[in-house]
Amino acid sequence: MAKKVLVVEDNELNLKLFCDLLRAHEWEAEPVRDGRDAVARAAEFKPDLIIMDIQMPHVTGYELILALKQDPALSRIPIMAVTAYAGRDDEDRIRAAGADAYISKPISLARFMSAVSELASGFR
């Protein structure tokens, strides 16, 4: 049975890239284009991992991470933040909110999949 990942990303090209890459590595990828739908989709889809863009319109990935970690049914799902924010303070703040991994854009495909694999090893 394929592991499930929810990909929350407002940029269509990045969303397609992440989902295609994950599917090529035998993940079941569920795209979410609007962050306002992320928590409800996570509750419905029950992913093994969430990949979260940080800078989105309407609601930030940072706010979504806080919301996901406060929900008892969703709080144990590992979250990988993928963001153009590259400052050390940004990474510390995002990790403090509950992100288990942090990848800066533009991403290295190998580093991206390595981080996914590391997080996946926690729920095998």
Side-chain angles (χ1 to χ4, degrees), residues 41-105:
R41 286 298 299 132
E44 181 181 308
F45 184 62
K46 298 178 179 45
D48 297 300
L49 171 66
I50 297 171
I51 296 176
M52 179 72 66
D53 183 21
I54 297 300
Q55 191 172 359
M56 296 182 288
H58 311 297
V59 61
T60 68
Y62 175 81
E63 293 166 325
L64 291 170
I65 292 168
L66 290 172
L68 289 160
K69 293 301 179 179
Q70 290 174 358
D71 185 321
L74 305 173
S75 65
R76 293 189 178 182
I77 301 170
I79 299 173
M80 182 168 81
V82 182
T83 181
Y85 294 136
R88 184 71 188 156
D89 290 342
D90 293 319
E91 180 176 355
D92 291 344
R93 183 175 65 92
I94 291 164
R95 285 184 178 275
D100 301 284
Y102 178 96
I103 303 287
S104 60
K105 293 176 186 176

Side-chain angles (χ1 to χ4, degrees), residues 3-80:
K3 290 184 180 68
K4 299 181 345 180
V5 61
L6 189 73
V7 182
V8 184
E9 170 66 66
D10 66 306
N11 179 289
E12 285 292 328
L13 291 175
N14 287 339
L15 185 65
K16 181 173 177 12
L17 171 67
F18 298 160
C19 288
D20 288 350
L21 184 60
L22 290 158
R23 289 174 183 138
H25 286 86
E26 300 181 358
W27 282 78
E28 180 183 344
E30 176 72 18
V32 175
R33 289 165 185 79
D34 188 331
R36 295 174 292 188
D37 300 330
V39 175
R41 286 298 299 132
E44 181 181 308
F45 184 62
K46 298 178 179 45
D48 297 300
L49 171 66
I50 297 171
I51 296 176
M52 179 72 66
D53 183 21
I54 297 300
Q55 191 172 359
M56 296 182 288
H58 311 297
V59 61
T60 68
Y62 175 81
E63 293 166 325
L64 291 170
I65 292 168
L66 290 172
L68 289 160
K69 293 301 179 179
Q70 290 174 358
D71 185 321
L74 305 173
S75 65
R76 293 189 178 182
I77 301 170
I79 299 173
M80 182 168 81

